[in-house]
Amino acid sequence: MAMGGPGLLLLWLLLVIVSAGKMKIVEEPNTYGLNNPFLSQVNRLQPKIRPAAVSGPAHLHRLAGKCFSMTESAYKYEFCPFHNITQHEQTFRWNAYSGILGIWQEWEIENNTFVGMWMKEGDSCGTRNRQTKVLLKCGPSHKLVQVSEPNTCIYYLSFETPLVCHPHSLLVYPNLKKELQNRWDQAEQSLYDGLITQQGYRKLLQAIFRDAGYLKISGEKQDQQELEEQNHSQETLGRCNEERNKLSTEVQRLKDLLTRNNISFTMPTVSEEIPRLTGNQTPRNQQLRGDLGLWDDAL
């Protein structure tokens, strides 16, 4: 049936309104995903720090460079071992959330066992930064199985992998270098002999784990440790020079005594026999003897 005059007029008016209003339908792109092409580089996820070096059991190093994801409720979680963990809101809202829940930093160690991987310094969350503890569990395949938030901005993530199914797969001691194993053995012996307390024993183990790269020293703690080492070095240097001065005085007294009694003698000068220590020298740099020779075993 042909359209009459009123129908044509109505169609013409509709076209005029559409043209005048410049109506335009736009599909807003989703913003989740690290490499979303619709996002400028500035708006993509920006980590605060670099991930720590790969460490821990050697058989877990094969997970580096891989990522595993899981969708729970309205969020997708992506875990990249020894790199980071991210959260992406699964929605087509223009301001869908994407964030970093933590960046690989250090292991949590208890009872000679790697019990978790800490991802820290994630996106800001009020006055703190988001962080995630990854718990490793035995499973038939590599996959995320659970994510929870027991405390505000602190997440727990469970990751199953067949790489931890052997009962010794997460032991710390076998993964240490021989030198660090020797230090641990010495600490055990000292504790057994009653030479150190439990607290002192734990501090020795913490130092071993830090030297192995399993634990990270925070900036404040690192500065404090360097200051303590510097003060200890200066204190040792001062004591050595004080003893040197005392010995020098005693040598001069003996020389005067021999001279007064017309007893001839030949001996090197004090400066040759007992060199003064400077800031570039420590007792460890010199040829040590006796018990101090144990330094050779510790190096």
Side-chain angles (χ1 to χ4, degrees):
M1 181 175 63
M3 183 178 294
L8 289 174
L9 179 61
L10 180 60
L11 178 60
W12 179 79
L13 289 174
L14 179 61
L15 291 175
V16 170
I17 293 174
V18 170
S19 177
K22 297 183 179 180
M23 293 179 63
K24 185 178 181 181
I25 298 176
V26 177
E27 181 179 352
E28 188 67 34
N30 188 12
T31 59
Y32 62 79
L34 278 171
N35 299 311
N36 191 322
F38 295 104
L39 288 175
S40 67
Q41 189 63 36
V42 176
N43 291 329
R44 297 184 187 182
L45 302 183
Q46 297 294 324
K48 290 182 172 65
I49 58 175
R50 295 176 60 86
V54 177
S55 65
H59 58 278
L60 294 182
H61 294 183
R62 69 187 70 177
L63 296 175
K66 300 179 180 179
C67 295
F68 308 90
S69 61
M70 178 190 73
T71 300
E72 185 174 271
S73 186
Y75 293 97
K76 176 182 177 182
Y77 299 90
E78 190 170 47
F79 169 52
C80 302
F82 304 107
H83 189 63
N84 67 15
I85 177 171
T86 56
Q87 181 187 52
H88 312 284
E89 186 178 3
Q90 302 294 281
T91 177
F92 285 93
R93 295 187 298 109
W94 70 271
N95 61 343
Y97 173 78
S98 278
I100 299 177
L101 301 187
I103 300 170
W104 161 241
Q105 291 298 289
E106 61 183 355
W107 289 94
E108 180 172 317
I109 299 175
E110 293 180 3
N111 299 325
N112 186 27
T113 304
F114 296 100
V115 297
M117 303 177 68
W118 272 108
M119 306 282 184
K120 300 181 178 181
E121 299 298 329
D123 288 345
S124 298
C125 182
T127 58
R128 65 178 72 179
N129 294 324
R130 301 177 191 273
Q131 55 182 320
T132 301
K133 178 181 177 179
V134 180
L135 303 173
L136 303 177
K137 298 183 177 181
C138 173
S141 60
H142 307 305
K143 66 176 182 179
L144 298 180
V145 292
Q146 185 180 9
V147 177
S148 62
E149 189 179 2
N151 297 298
T152 304
C153 306
I154 299 179
Y155 305 83
Y156 277 18
L157 182 151
S158 295
F159 178 70
E160 288 187 353
T161 172
L163 298 177
V164 301
C165 290
H166 191 279
H168 297 163
S169 59
L170 292 176
L171 293 181
V172 178
Y173 186 90
N175 289 281
L176 293 171
K177 294 181 179 179
K178 186 63 177 178
E179 173 196 353
L180 298 179
Q181 288 181 346
N182 291 338
R183 286 172 54 184
W184 195 333
D185 293 341
Q186 292 172 6
E188 290 276 0
Q189 187 64 47
S190 297
L191 179 63
Y192 178 80
D193 294 337
L195 300 178
I196 58 176
T197 63
Q198 281 287 348
Q199 182 178 3
Y201 173 72
R202 286 193 295 269
K203 287 184 177 179
L204 289 176
L205 290 190
Q206 292 291 310
I208 291 173
F209 299 153
R210 283 195 297 268
D211 291 344
Y214 301 156
L215 301 181
K216 185 176 180 180
I217 305 177
S218 64
E220 182 178 350
K221 290 183 179 179
Q222 186 172 9
D223 292 341
Q224 182 179 359
Q225 181 179 6
E226 292 177 354
L227 180 60
E228 289 177 353
E229 291 177 353
Q230 182 180 1
N231 291 338
H232 178 70
S233 177
Q234 293 296 330
E235 182 181 354
T236 302
L237 180 62
R239 287 200 306 268
C240 289
N241 283 327
E242 182 180 351
E243 292 299 322
R244 184 260 185 197
N245 292 334
K246 290 180 180 179
L247 187 55
S248 176
T249 301
E250 179 63 16
V251 169
Q252 186 61 44
R253 187 186 69 81
L254 293 175
K255 287 172 62 178
D256 293 341
L257 180 61
L258 293 173
T259 301
R260 286 197 302 269
N261 290 275
N262 297 320
I263 300 176
S264 61
F265 61 91
T266 302
M267 62 181 300
T269 62
V270 174
S271 59
E272 294 173 347
E273 182 69 18
I274 314 168
R276 176 179 294 274
L277 295 177
T278 65
N280 296 324
Q281 289 180 291
T282 64
R284 185 181 296 191
N285 297 131
Q286 302 183 34
Q287 298 295 326
L288 303 179
R289 298 179 182 275
D291 291 340
L292 293 179
L294 293 175
W295 281 116
D296 297 335
D297 298 330
L299 297 177

